[in-house]
Amino acid sequence: MTQLSGNSPHKATAESASFALYTFTISFDRLIPGVDNLRHDVYLSPVLCAAAKKVVRTAMAKYAQAEDILNIKISPTAVKEREAFKRICGEILQEAVHIAKSRGEIQIDYLSQAAVFKLIIETNLDQYTEIVENFQRRILAGERAVQKDVKEIVRLKERLSALRENRSAIIRQSGLELFQYVLEVHRDVLVPLRTVSFGKETLFPNDIFLNPMLHATFPPDDKMMLETYTLLGRRIEDPDRYDSLLSLIKDLVRETLPTSDHTDQSLDQWLKQADNLARLTDASVTRKTMKKLKKEGGHREARDALKQLARTQEQHLRIFFRQFRRAKLIKRICAAYQMLPICSNYCPPLQPRQVLQFLTERKTRRFLTGQLKAYGKIYGKVISLGPLRQKARELNRMLKPRKQMALLRFFDDFSRYHRDEGNYHLLSEAMGQIHLITDSKTLDLSRANKTLFEFLLPHERAPEEKPIIHHVILKADVRGATDLAHRMIERRLNPASFFSLNFFEPISAVLSRYGASKVFIEGDAVILSILEHEAEPSEWYAVARACGLAVQILMIIERYNQRSRQNELPVLEVGCGISYLAKPPAFLFDGDSRIMISQAINHADRMSSCTRTLRNLKGMKAGPFHLRVLQTASEKEQAKTRDDLCIRYNVNGIELNAAGFEKLAKEIKLKAIEYTLPGPGKLKTVLYTGKFPTVTGQYQRLIVREARIPEVSMDSLRFLGWTHRRYYEVCTHPDLFAHVRSKGDD
C-alpha cells in the first residue's frame, strides 16, 4: 500500500485526508514457461493434493447437505483432516519461500500461492460434480430396482434439484471455507517468514483469501451480489450498471480531489482501498473523533481542523448525492437495501432483480403481481404481496438523511466489489498461466527441460540430478555410405552387420571412458553428447573429452579398415563435427525415451559434412590435415546471418567450433607450437596442444590446428581473400604427434 498523504486524522486539513492506494499485483513474467511455452509447469505435493481433496469433500458435503450421499460423518476425524491440511499446506508454502529466497525471485513464492489457489478451486468444482453424479447414480439405481421406493426416488430428485439450484452458493461457501484455512496458514505461519525474506509490502492482503468472486460464476448471480455486495444492473438502460457507476464515481473523485493524481490506474487503486470513499464523504467518524478530542481537552487547533474536515466531507457527500440523484440512482440503491429482509420470501419464484423492479418501477408491478399469483396457483400456496408493498411505501417516504446513509453504505459495498472484481481477474489470469501437472509423461518432460517448479514435502523429493549447464555434441558421419552399401549388396554382402561391427559397436565400447552417451543413431552416423552439470567442476572437461573421443573413433575405424583391406572388404571414411554450447539442451519424450533438442546438433551435422565437389577435388588434403573450410559468401552476407555459409572438405577429419576451442582453452593448458607444412610452399601454421584426463583417470594428448577461413568464388572456388574467421581441426596424424614430442612435449 502506498500512502498519498502523511497526515493523521488529528492533523487533517479541510482539503485533504489520509488516503492510501491499493497496489496489489501479481506477475510471473520473469519465470521460465513450461513445456507448452505458454504456462508455467507446477508440480504440487501429492500429499497436499490428497489432503485438500479430503477437506473439500467434507466442506462440500456439509454445504450441499449430502453427507449421507458421500458416506461422510462429521466427527473428530474431520477436525484432524482440517489440521493436517493446514500443516501440510504450511510446510509446502514455507518451502516455496525458501526456494524463492535462495533464487532471489519472489515470483516463485507468488507462483506457489497461486498454484494452491488453483488446486483448491479446481478440487472444489470437482467435488460438486461428484456429488451431483452420486445423486444421479442413486436415482438411476432406485428406478431400476425391482421393488421401487417411489417416495425415496422423489425425495432424491427434489434434493438434486435443490443442489443444482443452489450450486453457486454451495461452491462459494465451500471454497471460502478452504481459503479461510489457507489464510490462517498465511497469517500464523507464513507472514513472519515472508516479511523477513522479502518485506511486508510483498504480502498478499487478507482480502485476497476471502474474495467471494473467486468461487462465483462470472458475472456473479444476483443472489450472491445482494448478499455479499449490492445489486447492480445488467441491462443497457440500467443506470446502476457497474461500468456506468465506475465512470461516475471516478468523475466525482476527480472533482472533489482536484490536487490528486488522476490517472486511470491511480483512480482504480484509490477506489479499491475500501475506506477511501468513506474518508472523502462520511463525516460521522470525523465528528466522533472531534467530540472525543474535545472531551479529553485536546488542542483547539486540532479540533478546528477536524471541524473543517467534517464540513468538507459533508460538502463532498452533497455533491455525490446530487449527482447520483440526477442519474436516477438513489432510489435503486435504497431499494436494494430495503428488499434484503424480504427477498427470500419472493426468490424463488422471482429473481432479486424483479423484486428491485417492483420497488422502483411502478409500471412493472401489475405484471409481477400477475406472475406471483400464477406461481402461487402452480405451487398451491398464496404468496402475500403485503411485505413487498410495505417496502415500496417506506421507500417512497424515506427522508434524505436515510438516503445519504444508504449511499455511504453503497460506497463501501461498491469499493469492495470493485476491489474483488479486479483481484478476481488478476488471479484468474495468474492461475490461467499455471499448468498443474498430474501425468508422469509431462512431469518427466518438464523436469528434464528444467522448466518445472516443484513444491514438495521433504520425503517426496527424489534425489536430484544436478542441473545441466553446458553440453557438447559430437557427430561422426560416414562418407559415401549409400554407395558403399549398394556395392556391398551387389557383392551379396551384408552392409548392416558391416556397419554394426566396424562402426557402431566399437564406438559404443569406448563411450564410458569419455563420459559420453548416445543421442541417436542414423544409418550412417552416430550423434553423441557429453554434458556438464552444476557443482561438478571435476568433470568439466566436456570439450576436451569430446575431442579425445573423436580421435579415438578415427583410430578405431583405421584399425578396422586395415583388417577390411586384408579381407578385401570396403573401408570406411568418416567426418566428425564437435559443437559446444554454453547452455543446457532441451528434451522431449517419445514414450519412455528422452530425446535431446539442441542447436549444437545441427551445427555438428554441418561440421561433419563434406561437400561432394570438394571431396572429388585434387589438392584438398594438405599434408597431415584432413579438413578444409571455405566461405562462399561475402563478409557482408555472412554478417547478416548466424547461419554457417561455408562448404567443407572433411574426410577423416574432426572440426571443432570456435566456442568449443575457447572452452577447451579454459579446460586445459594449451601450448602454441609452430608447424611448417611439408612441400614447396613451406607454409606455417599454429598448433595448440595439451593433455586432459579421461573419466578413468588416464591422460590423453590433443593437438588442434587453427586456420583462417578463405573466401572463394562459388562457381570456380577461386581464392578471393582471407576472412576474419577461423576454424579449428582436431588432428590425428602420427607425424603431428611426433612433431609435438620433438618440441619437448610427451
Side-chain angles (χ1 to χ4, degrees):
M1 307 254 273
T2 303
Q3 287 295 122
L4 290 182
S5 168
N7 297 330
S8 68
H10 285 193
K11 295 181 179 179
T13 67
E15 299 298 327
S16 67
S18 178
F19 297 109
L21 298 182
Y22 187 92
T23 56
F24 171 73
T25 187
I26 184 171
S27 175
F28 309 135
D29 60 339
R30 296 190 298 271
L31 302 183
I32 300 173
V35 293
D36 63 4
N37 295 308
L38 299 172
R39 299 171 295 172
H40 301 282
D41 294 339
V42 174
Y43 181 49
L44 282 177
S45 161
V47 175
L48 173 65
C49 296
K53 186 174 181 178
K54 287 181 181 179
V55 290
V56 169
R57 183 181 173 87
T58 301
M60 182 66 71
K62 176 177 64 177
Y63 292 111
Q65 298 181 358
E67 291 93 341
D68 58 327
I69 299 297
L70 296 180
N71 296 318
I72 291 177
K73 295 181 179 179
I74 304 301
S75 65
T77 303
V79 177
K80 292 180 180 178
E81 289 175 349
R82 181 185 66 208
E83 294 306 312
F85 168 75
K86 291 168 62 176
R87 175 182 54 78
I88 295 166
C89 187
E91 291 179 12
I92 295 295
L93 292 176
Q94 283 183 87
E95 177 65 15
V97 175
H98 293 315
I99 295 172
K101 179 69 173 177
S102 67
R103 299 185 188 178
E105 182 49 81
I106 192 174
Q107 289 188 357
I108 295 175
D109 181 37
Y110 292 163
L111 184 73
S112 69
Q113 294 181 74
V116 171
F117 288 3
K118 183 169 185 174
L119 170 68
I120 292 173
I121 290 170
E122 290 184 350
T123 305
N124 203 33
L125 293 173
D126 290 343
Q127 286 301 304
Y128 174 84
T129 302
E130 183 180 331
I131 291 176
V132 171
E133 290 173 349
N134 278 331
F135 267 106
Q136 291 172 333
R137 282 194 291 270
R138 288 265 189 118
I139 292 169
L140 184 61
E143 291 175 338
R144 289 178 175 176
V146 176
Q147 295 182 338
K148 296 182 177 65
D149 187 341
V150 177
K151 290 184 179 179
E152 175 64 14
I153 294 172
V154 171
R155 188 178 66 85
L156 287 172
K157 287 183 176 180
E158 289 175 349
R159 290 178 64 188
L160 177 58
S161 177
L163 178 68
R164 285 171 168 159
E165 184 177 322
N166 296 315
R167 177 183 183 275
S168 177
I170 293 169
I171 291 174
R172 185 173 70 254
Q173 290 168 331
S174 176
L176 284 171
E177 180 173 321
L178 267 291
F179 270 64
Q180 176 64 43
Y181 300 157
V182 179
L183 173 60
E184 291 169 10
V185 172
H186 168 75
R187 185 183 57 221
D188 300 339
V189 179
L190 295 164
V191 165
L193 179 60
R194 285 174 174 148
T195 301
V196 299
S197 298
F198 299 108
K200 190 174 182 179
E201 67 279 0
T202 64
L203 298 174
F204 278 20
N206 289 352
D207 55 74
I208 294 295
F209 300 88
L210 302 177
N211 186 353
M213 299 285 286
L214 291 175
H215 316 284
T217 55
F218 197 85
D221 61 82
D222 289 348
K223 188 176 180 182
M224 180 243 180
M225 286 294 295
L226 195 62
E227 293 174 353
T228 310
Y229 304 104
T230 186
L231 197 59
L232 299 179
R234 291 184 184 173
R235 301 176 301 178
I236 295 177
E237 64 270 21
D238 288 340
D240 57 347
R241 292 196 331 271
Y242 170 65
D243 54 348
S244 300
L245 284 165
L246 184 60
S247 178
L248 174 61
I249 292 173
K250 283 183 178 181
D251 288 342
L252 288 169
V253 171
R254 289 188 184 97
E255 179 182 345
T256 50
L257 288 179
T259 59
S260 294
D261 182 5
H262 289 155
T263 66
D264 198 59
Q265 180 182 6
S266 66
L267 283 173
D268 266 336
Q269 294 171 341
W270 191 93
L271 286 172
K272 287 176 181 177
Q273 189 63 33
D275 59 349
N276 277 346
L277 275 173
R279 287 176 178 271
L280 186 66
T281 57
D282 188 359
S284 60
V285 175
T286 306
R287 292 200 177 278
K288 286 179 182 178
T289 305
M290 185 174 61
K291 289 179 180 179
K292 182 179 179 182
L293 193 64
K294 183 177 181 180
K295 187 176 181 180
E296 294 173 352
H299 294 295
R300 183 176 184 83
E301 181 182 351
R303 285 184 287 147
D304 289 344
L306 287 171
K307 186 176 182 181
Q308 181 59 40
L309 176 59
R311 289 173 180 171
T312 302
Q313 289 169 328
E314 289 168 348
Q315 180 184 358
H316 291 164
L317 179 60
R318 287 193 294 271
I319 293 171
F320 274 75
F321 186 85
R322 183 169 59 249
Q323 294 301 324
F324 269 67
R325 186 174 56 194
R326 287 177 181 174
K328 300 181 179 179
L329 288 165
I330 295 297
K331 189 172 185 179
R332 294 178 71 89
I333 289 170
C334 294
Y337 294 123
Q338 282 287 99
M339 63 185 275
L340 272 173
I342 63 168
C343 190
S344 60
N345 298 339
Y346 302 98
C347 302
L350 296 182
Q351 295 295 324
R353 188 170 308 281
Q354 292 176 299
V355 177
L356 182 71
Q357 289 173 355
F358 188 97
L359 296 178
T360 58
E361 301 175 24
R362 185 181 294 273
K363 61 183 179 180
T364 66
R365 290 177 185 172
R366 181 177 296 179
F367 172 75
L368 292 174
T369 300
Q371 272 197 318
L372 286 173
K373 288 180 179 179
Y375 282 127
K377 290 179 181 179
I378 293 172
Y379 293 104
K381 63 178 181 180
V382 177
I383 301 177
S384 174
L385 290 172
L388 203 53
R389 291 194 174 107
Q390 177 62 29
K391 289 296 179 183
R393 287 192 292 270
E394 291 177 7
L395 186 63
N396 289 330
R397 293 196 296 265
M398 188 177 290
L399 299 177
K400 185 176 179 180
R402 283 192 63 195
K403 291 179 180 179
Q404 288 180 328
M405 289 178 62
L407 183 59
L408 291 172
R409 179 180 175 183
F410 170 80
F411 288 159
D412 178 67
D413 291 336
F414 184 83
S415 290
R416 286 188 301 103
Y417 175 76
H418 181 57
R419 178 198 67 201
D420 290 350
E421 192 264 353
N423 287 341
Y424 161 80
H425 287 293
L426 191 66
L427 282 168
S428 294
E429 182 180 349
M431 290 186 289
Q433 296 177 45
I434 294 174
H435 180 198
L436 291 180
I437 294 180
T438 56
D439 65 291
S440 59
K441 183 177 179 180
T442 308
L443 182 65
D444 290 341
L445 180 61
S446 185
R447 187 178 281 150
N449 284 282
K450 306 302 177 186
T451 60
L452 183 66
F453 294 93
E454 299 185 76
F455 304 113
L456 305 171
L457 295 171
H459 72 273
E460 294 176 304
R461 299 188 205 107
E464 289 189 10
E465 177 187 1
K466 293 182 175 63
I468 300 169
I469 52 175
H470 311 131
H471 70 289
V472 177
I473 296 294
L474 164 60
K475 181 172 183 181
D477 192 0
V478 177
R479 301 279 85 95
T482 303
D483 292 339
L484 187 150
H486 180 69
R487 293 197 304 271
M488 292 188 71
I489 292 172
E490 286 183 337
R491 295 173 56 187
R492 296 186 178 181
L493 301 175
N494 188 334
S497 61
F498 177 81
F499 278 115
S500 178
L501 294 173
N502 292 270
F503 185 64
F504 295 117
E505 289 184 13
I507 291 174
S508 298
V510 299
L511 295 184
S512 61
R513 192 186 307 170
Y514 297 92
S517 58
K518 293 176 184 176
V519 176
F520 53 85
I521 294 176
E522 298 172 347
D524 59 352
V526 60
I527 298 177
L528 310 170
S529 68
I530 301 178
L531 310 176
E532 290 185 348
H533 294 84
E534 189 178 87
E536 292 183 351
S538 62
E539 301 299 320
W540 290 349
Y541 295 99
V543 175
R545 288 173 177 171
C547 293
L549 177 56
V551 172
Q552 189 68 230
I553 288 171
L554 291 179
M555 291 173 63
I556 290 171
I557 289 172
E558 179 55 30
R559 286 201 302 270
Y560 279 89
N561 280 343
Q562 289 176 9
R563 190 177 66 178
S564 295
R565 292 187 188 99
Q566 293 172 0
N567 294 286
E568 296 183 355
L569 293 172
V571 296
L572 296 178
E573 292 179 331
V574 178
C576 293
I578 301 172
S579 179
Y580 163 77
L581 209 56
K583 61 181 180 180
F587 294 95
L588 60 85
F589 282 82
D590 181 10
D592 294 331
S593 301
R594 188 173 79 166
I595 299 173
M596 181 184 291
I597 305 295
S598 172
Q599 296 173 350
I601 295 175
N602 297 330
H603 196 198
D605 176 69
R606 181 72 62 88
M607 292 190 296
S608 67
S609 66
C610 183
T611 305
R612 183 178 293 272
T613 55
L614 296 183
R615 185 181 176 195
N616 298 328
L617 197 63
K618 292 182 179 180
M620 279 292 110
K621 185 176 182 301
F625 304 123
H626 300 268
L627 176 70
R628 295 281 297 277
V629 180
L630 311 174
Q631 181 174 305
T632 56
S634 67
E635 287 286 78
K636 288 184 178 180
E637 291 173 332
Q638 180 62 60
K640 291 179 182 177
T641 179
R642 298 185 64 182
D643 199 5
D644 185 356
L645 302 180
C646 292
I647 58 176
R648 287 171 171 79
Y649 170 84
N650 187 344
V651 179
N652 294 328
I654 305 167
E655 183 178 356
L656 173 66
N657 69 333
F661 180 76
E662 292 178 9
K663 176 65 162 55
L664 179 65
K666 296 176 182 177
E667 293 177 355
I668 62 175
K669 177 68 174 178
L670 290 177
K671 178 181 178 181
I673 297 176
E674 191 177 82
Y675 177 75
T676 303
L677 275 71
K682 292 187 177 181
L683 297 175
K684 294 183 178 181
T685 187
V686 177
L687 303 177
Y688 294 91
T689 184
K691 288 185 177 182
F692 73 93
T694 64
V695 173
T696 56
Q698 297 175 321
Y699 284 84
Q700 182 176 333
R701 178 167 295 283
L702 293 176
I703 299 174
V704 180
R705 174 176 70 105
E706 180 184 63
R708 292 178 68 183
I709 299 177
E711 181 182 344
V712 300
S713 61
M714 174 68 79
D715 50 356
S716 64
L717 301 180
R718 181 171 57 87
F719 177 77
L720 300 178
W722 293 104
T723 70
H724 69 284
R725 301 170 63 213
R726 286 172 167 75
Y727 69 93
Y728 300 88
E729 178 185 1
V730 181
C731 303
T732 59
H733 201 285
D735 290 350
L736 297 177
F737 284 88
H739 176 73
V740 169
R741 284 195 297 272
S742 70
K743 298 296 183 180
D745 289 290
D746 51 12

